[in-house]
Amino acid sequence: QMQLVESGGGLVQAGGSLRLSCAASGRTFSRYAMGWFRQAPGKEREFVAAIRWSGGSTSYADSVKGRFTISGDKFNDTVYLQMNSLKPEDTAVYYCALERLPRTVQAASNYDYWGQGTQVTVSS
């Protein structure tokens, strides 16, 4: 049983930066990866970034590569998403998720636990 809580969302102007945090609590017998997804009004939930919990390898959507950085702090059981050079099209609710099994990290359906989301709004 795991609980994920996102924080750090807010309003920022285009070109600015935000850092999202996802704090995990509870116990799970396995953890393969932690990921970030986002969903804008009228659009499907899309993959943003993921980090392999053991080894630290990362994966990014093409739309954010070079601008966003995902990282993890195992001691505090927290995953971060550093977002730089933000664009209005980055506006969305951002969700943190945990994938237990070694499946494709880009697929939302492969994740087992989800946070409630945090709103990120980028103004022009």
Side-chain angles (χ1 to χ4, degrees), residues 36-38 46-50 59-62 64 68 81 94:
W36 286 97
F37 291 77
R38 66 187 183 186
E46 66 175 349
F47 169 77
V48 176
S59 180
Y60 297 93
D62 289 341
V64 307
F68 292 9
L81 184 68
Y94 283 70

Side-chain angles (χ1 to χ4, degrees), residues 2 4 22-24 31-37 47 49-53 70 77-79 96-99 105 111:
M2 296 290 295
L4 307 177
C22 174
R31 187 186 306 191
Y32 175 63
M34 298 291 294
W36 286 97
F37 291 77
F47 169 77
I51 183 169
R52 176 81 160 82
W53 205 241
I70 188 171
D77 209 1
T78 302
V79 64
C96 173
L98 185 156
E99 183 178 22
V105 297
Y111 287 76

Side-chain angles (χ1 to χ4, degrees), residues 11-15 86-88 91 121-124:
L11 175 64
V12 65
Q13 292 186 347
L86 283 162
K87 305 174 181 179
T91 295
T121 302
V122 184
S123 64
S124 59

Side-chain angles (χ1 to χ4, degrees), residues 7 9 11-12 15 21 25 35 45 49 58 60-61 64 69 81 84-85 93 96 99 101 109 117 121-122:
S7 63
L11 175 64
V12 65
S21 298
S25 62
R45 186 170 300 189
T58 58
Y60 297 93
V64 307
T69 302
L81 184 68
N84 298 325
S85 301
V93 176
C96 173
E99 183 178 22
L101 302 177
S109 61
T121 302
V122 184

